[in-house]
């Protein structure tokens, strides 16, 4: 069984293209095609449907895909564990994280981590809560950095509490108040994010049985902030997310001190993660203690 052949098949499925797989894995397109064909000959059935627009897994290919992904993951874990035993800090970490985390935490953390562990490669994927959940299920990432409900994700490791703030136009009538009540969202025109991009916001309203007066529903954070700035409504976002915009926005705490907890999301216990991941997580925790 060839790990390279398995990797060629998985990458071709992920990108829907033999050419793109060749580019990612640094092979020629004919070499990738030959690897997959060799697997098909070995297994006795087709793995890919090849067409003008790209490739897609056959039904049999779909059955084998998660098994192959697990084999690839375990092969990487084996190599990294051997390297750790030999005192070599080599490996790869795939992380999925919220935009706010990617913008405000990761540049500094990755820069410092790279200096301490230059041979550990990090792949960072920026996504929302739904995307991170899907990436974990598909094995695309080793762990996520986001938020969740504890009962929905038992392997959640809290990192930091992030206040939820009301954001208002600078000339709003409530701009002089020290804080605002959550119920103002029932009467004021609101600019709300979609649930798949900000489940923390939606969960607060659901918990308090409040139906916001939605004037606009937007997926992009920057668009929400821009519309609030122009006086089109108010919104509810996290402090970390609006950190760069604080000078140009009016922000108010919500009475009741609502927060979201940002943390590590894994499909299993931290003990089962790869050695590089187990180095990165305490590194991030220590950085947050000093800079968070």
């Amino acid at each position: 069984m060839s790990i390279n052949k398995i990797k060629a098949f998985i990458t071709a499925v992920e990108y829907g293209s033999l050419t793109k797989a060749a580019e990612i894995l640094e092979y020629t397109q004919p070499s990738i095609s030959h690897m997959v064909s060799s697997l098909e000959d070995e297994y006795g059935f087709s793995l890919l449907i090849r067409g003008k627009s790209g490739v897609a897994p056959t039904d049999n290919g779909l059955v084998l895909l998660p098994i192959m992904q697990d084999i690839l993951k375990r092969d990487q874990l084996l190599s990294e564990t051997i390297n750790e035993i030999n005192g070599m800090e080599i490996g790869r970490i795939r992380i999925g994280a919220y935009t706010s985390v990617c913008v405000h935490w990761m540049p500094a953390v990755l820069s410092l981590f790279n200096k301490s562990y230059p041979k550990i490669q990090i792949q960072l994927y920026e996504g929302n809560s739904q995307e991170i959940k899907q990436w974990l299920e598909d094995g695309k990432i080793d762990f996520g950095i986001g938020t969740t409900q504890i009962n929905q994700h038992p392997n959640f490791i809290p990192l930091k509490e992030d206040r939820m703030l009301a954001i208002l136009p600078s000339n709003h009538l409530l701009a002089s108040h020290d804080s605002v009540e959550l119920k103002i969202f029932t009467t004021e025109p609101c600019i709300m994010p979609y649930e798949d991009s900000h489940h923390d916001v939606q969960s607060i309203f659901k918990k308090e049985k409040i139906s916001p007066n939605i004037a606009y529903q937007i997926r992009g954070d920057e668009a929400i902030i821009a519309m609030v700035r122009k006086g089109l409504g108010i919104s509810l976002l996290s402090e970390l997310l609006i950190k760069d915009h604080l000078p140009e926005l009016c922000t108010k705490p919500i009475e009741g001190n609502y927060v979201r907890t940002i943390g590590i999301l894994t499909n299993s216990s931290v003990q089962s993660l790869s050695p590089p991941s187990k180095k990165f997580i305490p590194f991030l925790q220590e950085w947050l203690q000093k800079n968070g």
Side-chain angles (χ1 to χ4, degrees):
M1 179 177 62
S2 169
I3 292 297
N4 287 337
K5 291 177 184 178
I6 289 174
K7 190 180 295 185
F9 169 69
I10 292 172
T11 308
V13 170
E14 182 177 352
Y15 290 94
S17 166
L18 292 170
T19 302
K20 186 65 176 177
E23 178 186 330
I24 296 294
L25 298 176
E26 298 183 342
Y27 286 97
T28 63
Q29 192 272 346
S31 294
I32 292 293
S33 182
H34 177 73
M35 288 181 187
V36 177
S37 295
S38 178
L39 275 183
E40 292 174 324
D41 291 340
E42 183 180 339
Y43 296 163
F45 48 79
S46 296
L47 295 171
L48 288 179
I49 301 169
R50 297 160 173 83
K52 292 181 179 179
S53 59
V55 297
T58 62
D59 289 343
N60 289 331
L62 279 174
V63 171
L64 294 187
L65 182 61
I67 302 172
M68 289 183 170
Q69 288 171 329
D70 188 57
I71 290 171
L72 197 61
K73 182 178 179 181
R74 290 180 181 276
D75 178 73
Q76 181 187 334
L77 179 59
L78 174 63
S79 298
E80 290 170 346
T81 304
I82 292 170
N83 288 332
E84 185 182 43
I85 292 170
N86 288 325
M88 300 167 61
E89 292 163 338
I90 298 173
R92 180 187 67 167
I93 311 171
R94 302 165 304 163
I95 306 169
Y98 284 176
T99 298
S100 53
V101 171
C102 289
V103 171
H104 296 293
W105 292 0
M106 299 310 281
V109 173
L110 295 184
S111 176
L112 293 171
F113 188 81
N114 182 252
K115 289 176 183 177
S116 299
Y117 305 99
K119 293 185 178 180
I120 295 180
Q121 177 193 8
I122 294 184
Q123 296 175 347
L124 181 62
Y125 299 86
E126 179 186 344
N128 59 40
S129 57
Q130 288 295 110
E131 288 171 325
I132 290 174
K133 179 183 177 183
Q134 191 62 53
W135 292 339
L136 280 171
E137 290 177 357
D138 294 344
K140 184 175 181 179
I141 58 175
D142 299 304
F143 62 87
I145 305 176
T147 60
T148 188
Q149 305 300 311
I150 297 297
N151 61 344
Q152 295 177 356
H153 210 105
N155 296 304
F156 183 68
I157 305 167
L159 290 173
K160 181 178 173 59
E161 287 193 342
D162 186 22
R163 284 195 307 169
M164 303 300 291
L165 299 173
I167 60 172
L168 320 167
S170 57
N171 60 350
H172 197 277
L173 291 174
L174 295 172
S176 60
H177 290 218
D178 292 330
S179 63
V180 298
E181 294 181 284
L182 193 63
K183 67 181 182 182
I184 69 162
F185 287 88
T186 63
T187 54
E188 292 287 323
C190 300
I191 303 166
M192 289 286 103
Y194 283 96
E195 188 168 2
D196 64 353
S197 58
H198 285 288
H199 71 86
D200 306 289
V201 172
Q202 306 292 346
S203 65
I204 289 172
F205 290 123
K206 286 180 180 178
K207 180 182 177 181
E208 302 298 339
K209 296 181 172 57
I210 286 177
S211 298
N213 177 29
I214 300 176
Y216 302 95
Q217 198 160 18
I218 308 290
R219 183 162 280 109
D221 304 324
E222 294 293 325
I224 291 173
I225 292 167
M227 292 175 76
V228 170
R229 204 163 49 227
K230 288 295 184 181
L232 295 172
I234 67 172
S235 192
L236 179 65
L237 293 174
S238 82
E239 188 169 16
L240 182 63
L241 198 152
I242 61 175
K243 190 174 182 180
D244 288 342
H245 301 275
L246 289 176
E248 57 200 77
L249 289 172
C250 175
T251 62
K252 297 294 174 183
I254 305 293
E255 291 179 12
N257 190 33
Y258 295 94
V259 299
R260 65 174 188 171
T261 302
I262 303 173
I264 302 291
L265 299 137
T266 68
N267 274 340
S268 54
S269 66
V270 173
Q271 286 72 24
S272 64
L273 291 175
S274 68
S277 294
K278 285 191 282 189
K279 289 185 182 298
F280 182 86
I281 291 173
F283 190 95
L284 173 60
Q285 290 172 320
E286 185 178 348
W287 183 86
L288 284 171
Q289 286 176 356
K290 295 177 180 177
N291 302 277

